[in-house]
Amino acid sequence: MQKAVLITIGDEILSGNTVDTNSNFVATELKNIGIKVAQIFTISDEVETIKSTLKSAFEMGEVVIMTGGLGPTRDDKTKKAFAEFFHDEIILDEVTLEHLKNYLEKRGRSQLFERNKEQAYLPSKSTVFQNYYGTAPCMMMEYKGKVCFSLPGVPYEVKPLIKDQIIPYLKDKFKLSYIHTRIVSVVGVPESILADIIEDWELALPENVELSYLPIGNRVKLRLTAAGGDEAFLQGQLEEEIHKLFPLVGDHIIATTEDKIEKILGELLGEKGLTISTSESCTGGELAKMITSNTGSSKYFLGGIVAYATEKKVEILKVSQSTVDEYTVVSEQVAREMAKGCQQLFDTNISLSTTGVAGPGKGEDGKDVGTVFYTIRINDKEKTYKLYLPHMERLDFMNFVSQKILQDLVSALING
């Protein structure tokens, strides 16, 4: 199996001001064609640092992919380091110059041509992959049978370059094996206990099948990846291995195909012909966002309310003021009334509600940070849960709670 090394260039990433989403995306795309990422480097935009990192990268893998550091000026350090490492000179590439001119003219930005034409100066020996979503092209160099790509760092430019041009190139160059992946979602079993339960099954997996444990919320995703020369055989092989799991943890398996919980839920709602609505406080609309991120969600998601202020819970969702006064706004009783009011407001089969304290300060009723109550109401039946997650930062809290609610809902729909 070929190995790859990713190099992310930029002081803004090292400082923490920018999150490196490119590495995650590129690693996933490479994995899907059977190239394993051996190392990821994050470095500053300095010539000697880039050159020394390239040297290390070529010792580790056959494919090197750099993102970031490409700018419109002649003193671009990344391009300079790239050329120096491969003992090359930077010259004007007429094809890239014409592409850049057309790109800017089509977008009504021809006045920027003079400022950006330096992007057309490239190492003379490089193979160019034109960028159709930005001004900096991708450069590729070959080195002792290995390849190195230098891409811009903007994610919406990186994605099409990788998917539409670089992945097809790598598949053809290395004559790669087929890769087939399946995700088995298990809920209600802690990762350590799950590992004990399925240990014998895991040890008996064929040599070409890899297993990864991916915990998220109260779910553990078992990712099975098989590599080989016959795609149909791999599909059948994984289906057979998954079938062997059911006698061990079948009661806890909620899906064997889809990965994201919102997609698993969407399929279930579609199959059962059910509609859903949300009434959120501490999750700030994250539940609605997750549900509606799924294609076709308009068929089952009828609407949502973020009733952050207590008076809006009373006014819109018909939560009783006396309930708030007696039990406080962050309580099991309020969560239940929010869910019922939401179900009546949108006339749905299912409604979800959340009320809690995401932090960083305590709630208006003095409840501790990390406290949350949520209700899942299906037709005239409901169940309310409490969580206490004081160790989580605000955004992590909102995401974790939303993930868990959807996972609990899926379990309820499957198990009744």
Side-chain angles (χ1 to χ4, degrees):
M1 178 181 283
Q2 277 73 27
K3 293 182 179 179
V5 175
L6 310 185
I7 303 173
T8 302
I9 301 171
D11 292 335
E12 71 281 0
I13 293 174
L14 288 170
S15 68
N17 291 330
T18 300
V19 177
D20 173 24
T21 58
N22 288 331
S23 292
N24 176 267
F25 171 78
V26 175
T28 300
E29 293 297 313
L30 292 174
K31 177 202 69 182
N32 290 339
I33 61 168
I35 297 178
K36 183 177 181 179
V37 172
Q39 185 76 45
I40 300 176
F41 294 98
T42 302
I43 61 174
S44 61
D45 189 7
E46 299 293 337
V47 172
E48 293 307 316
T49 301
I50 295 170
K51 288 163 64 176
S52 64
T53 306
L54 279 171
K55 183 176 184 300
S56 298
F58 276 116
E59 293 172 354
M60 299 179 186
E62 294 76 30
V63 179
V64 178
I65 297 179
M66 301 196 304
T67 56
L70 298 179
T73 59
R74 290 296 292 271
D75 63 349
D76 179 347
K77 295 177 183 177
T78 299
K79 193 184 299 181
K80 184 175 187 294
F82 196 67
E84 287 185 9
F85 181 83
F86 292 103
H87 307 291
D88 199 3
E89 62 177 338
I90 294 176
I91 64 169
L92 178 65
D93 183 77
E94 295 290 348
V95 174
T96 301
L97 184 69
E98 185 64 22
H99 170 81
L100 181 61
K101 184 177 180 181
N102 292 335
Y103 172 84
L104 291 171
E105 284 179 350
K106 286 180 180 179
R107 287 156 180 78
R109 298 161 59 194
S110 55
Q111 75 278 8
L112 298 178
F113 178 68
E114 289 300 319
R115 184 184 303 173
N116 285 275
K117 70 179 182 180
E118 297 297 338
Q119 302 277 35
Y121 283 85
L122 307 170
S124 66
K125 301 173 188 175
S126 65
T127 299
V128 181
F129 294 82
Q130 298 297 350
N131 183 354
Y132 297 97
Y133 299 90
T135 57
C138 168
M139 305 167 287
M140 185 197 76
M141 285 284 202
E142 295 203 35
Y143 177 78
K144 298 180 180 180
K146 303 180 179 183
V147 289
C148 178
F149 301 86
S150 178
L151 291 80
V154 182
Y156 68 77
E157 297 177 26
V158 170
K159 289 181 179 181
L161 280 167
I162 291 289
K163 294 187 71 150
D164 301 339
Q165 299 189 62
I166 294 174
I167 291 297
Y169 176 86
L170 292 174
K171 287 174 69 175
D172 182 65
K173 178 177 178 60
F174 291 108
K175 309 300 180 188
L176 298 167
S177 299
Y178 289 104
I179 300 292
H180 191 58
T181 300
R182 289 281 295 275
I183 299 287
V184 179
S185 289
V186 181
V187 297
V189 185
E191 182 181 2
S192 57
I193 295 176
L194 177 62
D196 288 339
I197 294 172
I198 65 173
E199 181 179 11
D200 291 341
W201 170 84
E202 181 178 351
L203 292 173
L205 287 172
E207 288 186 3
N208 68 313
V209 177
E210 292 185 359
L211 174 67
S212 300
Y213 291 78
L214 307 170
I216 179 170
N218 70 331
R219 177 169 56 128
V220 178
K221 296 191 293 185
L222 299 175
R223 185 175 66 201
L224 288 157
T225 304
D230 187 328
E231 187 174 19
F233 172 79
L234 297 178
Q235 291 173 350
Q237 186 181 40
L238 290 191
E239 186 65 40
E240 181 180 348
E241 294 303 327
I242 290 171
H243 183 72
K244 294 176 184 177
L245 270 176
F246 276 86
L248 304 175
V249 289
D251 291 343
H252 298 280
I253 293 175
I254 61 171
T256 62
T257 52
E258 289 293 353
D259 180 1
K260 294 184 177 180
I261 192 65
E262 53 268 36
K263 288 190 175 182
I264 297 170
L265 175 62
E267 285 194 355
L268 272 175
L269 294 175
E271 290 171 6
K272 294 177 178 291
L274 300 174
T275 55
I276 189 171
S277 57
T278 58
S279 53
E280 303 179 64
S281 186
C282 61
T283 46
E286 184 69 17
L287 275 173
K289 177 184 175 184
M290 289 178 65
I291 296 170
T292 57
S293 69
N294 204 27
T295 303
S297 57
S298 60
K299 295 177 182 178
Y300 49 81
F301 182 77
L302 300 194
I305 293 290
V306 180
Y308 223 60
T310 300
E311 58 266 27
K312 295 304 176 183
K313 295 178 177 67
V314 173
E315 177 186 338
I316 300 173
L317 297 171
K318 308 307 178 186
V319 173
S320 168
Q321 184 62 54
S322 62
T323 301
V324 175
D325 294 340
E326 183 175 357
Y327 298 104
T328 77
V329 71
V330 178
S331 63
E332 175 183 350
Q333 292 77 9
V334 166
R336 287 205 304 263
E337 291 190 17
M338 286 175 66
K340 186 173 183 179
C342 180
Q343 186 182 48
Q344 293 173 345
L345 177 65
F346 290 102
D347 191 21
T348 54
N349 304 110
I350 301 167
S351 66
L352 309 174
S353 70
T354 65
T355 179
V357 187
K362 285 189 174 185
E364 60 187 62
D365 58 359
K367 287 291 197 310
D368 289 335
V369 172
T371 303
V372 59
F373 292 91
Y374 62 92
T375 294
I376 296 174
R377 186 176 175 87
I378 304 174
N379 295 319
D380 59 350
K381 296 181 180 179
E382 65 182 19
K383 188 170 182 180
T384 303
Y385 305 78
K386 179 184 179 181
L387 288 175
Y388 182 51
L389 307 165
H391 58 289
M392 288 190 175
E393 294 187 356
R394 185 179 181 85
L395 295 181
D396 294 333
F397 169 90
M398 295 165 76
N399 181 260
F400 181 93
V401 171
S402 299
Q403 285 277 348
K404 190 173 188 315
I405 292 171
L406 296 190
Q407 287 164 193
D408 288 346
L409 173 57
V410 168
S411 296
L413 291 174
I414 290 175
N415 300 317

